[in-house]
Amino acid sequence: QVQLVESGGGLVQPGGSLRLSCAASGSIFSISAMGWYRQAPGKQRELVAAITKRGTTNYADSVKGRFTISRDNAKNTVYLQMNSLKPEDTAVYYCNVNGYVSMTSRFDSWGQGTQVTVSS
């Protein structure tokens, strides 16, 4: 009932920047937390950054000071600005959004994933 569409991945050189976007649509009553996860080959999916409805943010230690998560509540969209990218940031990045489709029914949706490759 709630769909997520991600965009913004690609190939970038070390030290470069990318901006990921994730737009939620469908039967949305309200959105609570929004976040970004990533999964590198052979590794488990890990939290990169998350943001609450009120704007409180949380980052993985490995990206603090380099990545910034933000959200536009009017557009049901979350962004991830990634600066000073390193080869170890290479992974598939997934958007996650949770909230309510009604006053009592929750949802927890995942995006399809977008590839980020950091290489010279």
Side-chain angles (χ1 to χ4, degrees):
Q1 290 182 318
V2 178
Q3 297 81 39
L4 305 182
V5 177
E6 302 172 10
S7 61
L11 172 64
V12 64
Q13 292 186 341
S17 298
L18 283 174
R19 188 192 194 208
L20 305 183
S21 300
C22 172
S25 63
S27 302
I28 299 172
F29 178 73
S30 67
I31 292 178
S32 302
M34 309 179 85
W36 290 93
Y37 291 72
R38 67 186 180 187
Q39 188 167 18
K43 295 188 177 181
Q44 290 187 331
R45 189 174 297 189
E46 63 174 358
L47 174 68
V48 176
I51 184 168
T52 67
K53 188 173 185 177
R54 294 185 178 183
T56 302
T57 57
N58 180 41
Y59 295 93
D61 288 342
S62 59
V63 307
K64 284 181 180 177
R66 300 188 298 122
F67 291 10
T68 302
I69 189 170
S70 61
R71 62 190 280 174
D72 185 332
N73 292 329
K75 295 181 179 180
N76 292 336
T77 299
V78 61
Y79 306 95
L80 185 67
Q81 178 66 44
M82 304 185 293
N83 298 328
S84 302
L85 282 161
K86 304 176 181 180
E88 50 263 45
D89 294 318
T90 296
V92 178
Y93 284 69
Y94 297 90
C95 172
N96 174 256
V97 176
N98 61 72
Y100 291 86
V101 294
S102 70
M103 290 189 69
T104 57
S105 181
R106 292 186 59 87
F107 74 89
D108 190 323
S109 296
W110 290 87
Q112 78 281 6
T114 185
Q115 177 69 47
V116 171
T117 302
V118 184
S119 175
S120 56

